[in-house]
Amino acid sequence: MKRMLTFIGAILVFLGFALVTQPAQNENTKLTQQKTIKVGILQMVSHPALNQIHQGIISGLKDEGFKESKNIKVEFQNAQGDQSNMKTMAQQLADHDDILFGIATPAAQALVNSADKSTPIMMAGISDPAGSGLVKSEKHPGGNVTGSSGDSPLDKQLQLIRDIMPQAKKIGVIYTSSDAGGQSNAKKFAKLVKKAGLQPKMYTIANTNDMQQISQQMANNVDAIYAPQDNGVASSMKTLVNNANQAGKPVFPASDTMVTDGGTASYAIDQHDLGRLAGHMAGKVLKGKKPADYPVGFVVKGKYVINQEQIDKLHIQVPDKIMQQAQKNGKVIK
């Protein structure tokens, strides 16, 4: 009987010790122990730049050891520019998924408004994270949101316009009024244009339906057009280029994919790299890193992208040095 009591006592002591010494795990670490992690991705609209960011996210997660059909299940939603759809989709993802990605500022904002504070939210390619209210600061996000940012290299983009169009005095800048990132980029660029002694002329669209009329008006009143990193402008790039071509005016966009869609030339960061960085950061979060203490990651290195067809069509001469750099490290679209 004495031995039995001693044995029971030893078991109780062991169990008590195990309960006390079991390490406390945060929610993110627990995610990596799940059989399948549910990843929700919300994209504002379909256009090449955002599609590349989406593809980059998947690549980044894979680099970190998180692969579809192995240990993650990806649920992708695309609001196609509809704000009502985006709110509904954001709530659906927030209700079901363990980690969330917002591609474009409105998508990230919708997720923040829908998810609880314990769910990690990754920004993917957000141009002004602090200014749009997604984080307290880029260095110290302070909540459940972090991710990648790739503010356009505006100074180099303006210099490219001046190198290719040295005679240009009036620079048209078009942006979407509801796109916080696009508006921020457009206004920053306009300040640089003014500082350079040139005249910025600002044009605003409320949505893609406005592009036909507004771009016609703009093209007839400026020497060159700048298209910022703006989802509404990117989605209606072909309309913008068509009207600009009719007026014989070049369009210098912020992203490489917008050059592919008819822009003349750009010095741009790679959109796939923006998504890949967000995917890498998400992998670290899933392994235990806290978003609140995880500084926003930036992609800053750009490349020259030249649309040879547009150059020929508008009879524009690209300086040899820029063309050589595009051929060597960037891209020449023929």
Side-chain angles (χ1 to χ4, degrees), residues 9-53:
I11 290 176
L12 291 174
V13 169
F14 174 78
L15 290 174
F17 179 77
L19 289 172
V20 170
T21 59
Q22 184 177 358
Q25 297 174 311
N26 62 45
E27 291 300 317
N28 295 337
T29 303
K30 288 179 181 178
L31 287 177
T32 62
Q33 296 179 343
Q34 293 179 199
K35 186 175 182 180
T36 301
I37 298 166
K38 291 175 287 186
V39 177
I41 302 176
L42 178 62
Q43 184 169 317
M44 177 186 172
V45 68
S46 288
H47 65 68
L50 298 189
N51 295 343
Q52 281 198 6
I53 291 174

Side-chain angles (χ1 to χ4, degrees), residues 32 35 45 154 171 201 231 301-302 324:
T32 62
K35 186 175 182 180
V45 68
L154 302 178
I171 311 298
K201 294 182 73 67
N231 296 297
K301 187 176 181 180
Q324 288 168 7

Side-chain angles (χ1 to χ4, degrees), residues 50-331:
L50 298 189
N51 295 343
Q52 281 198 6
I53 291 174
H54 177 198
Q55 293 164 10
I57 288 171
I58 301 302
S59 297
L61 285 167
K62 187 176 180 180
D63 292 343
E64 292 292 326
F66 297 96
K67 304 176 183 178
E68 287 192 83
S69 75
K70 178 184 176 184
N71 53 4
I72 65 170
K73 179 181 179 181
V74 177
E75 182 179 2
F76 175 65
Q77 297 278 8
N78 191 326
Q80 298 297 358
D82 188 305
Q83 293 289 335
S84 178
N85 282 346
M86 190 148 49
K87 290 180 181 179
T88 301
M89 291 174 177
Q91 191 61 62
Q92 290 174 347
L93 294 173
D95 289 343
H96 299 117
D97 296 310
D98 302 308
I99 187 166
L100 304 169
F101 286 88
I103 303 177
T105 301
Q109 290 172 330
L111 289 172
V112 168
N113 292 333
S114 300
D116 61 49
K117 299 301 181 183
S118 65
T119 302
I121 299 174
M122 309 303 299
M123 304 176 295
I126 308 301
S127 59
D128 189 14
S132 57
L134 291 167
V135 296
K136 291 182 180 179
S137 73
E138 280 81 6
K139 290 185 177 180
H140 304 285
N144 61 321
V145 182
T146 190
S148 70
S149 178
D151 204 359
S152 298
L154 302 178
D155 54 343
K156 292 186 177 181
Q157 290 173 350
L158 176 58
Q159 188 58 54
L160 177 63
I161 295 175
R162 301 187 73 183
D163 288 339
I164 294 179
M165 300 285 292
Q167 77 282 10
K169 301 299 180 185
K170 297 178 181 179
I171 311 298
V173 183
I174 187 166
Y175 66 93
T176 309
S177 58
S178 59
D179 189 315
Q183 186 174 155
S184 174
N185 284 331
K187 291 182 177 180
K188 287 178 184 177
F189 187 79
K191 287 182 179 179
L192 289 177
V193 171
K194 193 172 183 179
K195 187 177 179 180
L198 306 177
Q199 181 183 356
K201 294 182 73 67
M202 308 296 283
Y203 294 84
T204 307
I205 61 173
N207 53 55
T208 56
N209 295 329
D210 294 340
M211 182 58 82
Q212 178 66 29
Q213 180 181 351
I214 298 299
S215 62
Q216 281 181 333
Q217 177 188 348
M218 175 176 60
N220 290 320
N221 289 285
V222 300
D223 301 315
I225 296 168
Y226 177 73
Q229 195 168 305
D230 178 293
N231 296 297
V233 175
S235 296
S236 51
M237 189 67 185
K238 294 185 185 300
T239 301
L240 171 60
V241 170
N242 182 59
N243 289 330
N245 282 345
Q246 289 182 26
K249 307 296 170 60
V251 178
F252 295 90
S255 74
D256 53 351
T257 56
M258 293 164 80
V259 179
T260 304
D261 277 346
T264 301
S266 182
Y267 181 86
I269 57 178
D270 191 291
Q271 302 300 305
H272 187 274
D273 287 349
L274 285 171
R276 193 165 200 153
L277 176 57
H280 285 165
M281 294 179 70
K284 299 292 193 301
V285 168
L286 288 170
K287 294 171 186 176
K289 202 168 182 69
K290 296 180 180 180
D293 306 321
Y294 199 173
V296 174
F298 288 87
V299 175
V300 296
K301 187 176 181 180
K303 62 184 180 183
Y304 286 109
V305 185
I306 308 293
N307 189 325
Q308 186 67 56
E309 182 180 351
Q310 283 296 109
I311 293 294
D312 294 340
K313 184 180 294 184
L314 298 172
H315 307 290
I316 291 173
Q317 183 65 42
V318 177
D320 290 341
K321 184 178 180 180
I322 292 176
M323 184 60 77
Q324 288 168 7
Q325 289 186 49
Q327 291 170 337
K328 183 178 180 180
N329 300 313
K331 187 176 183 181

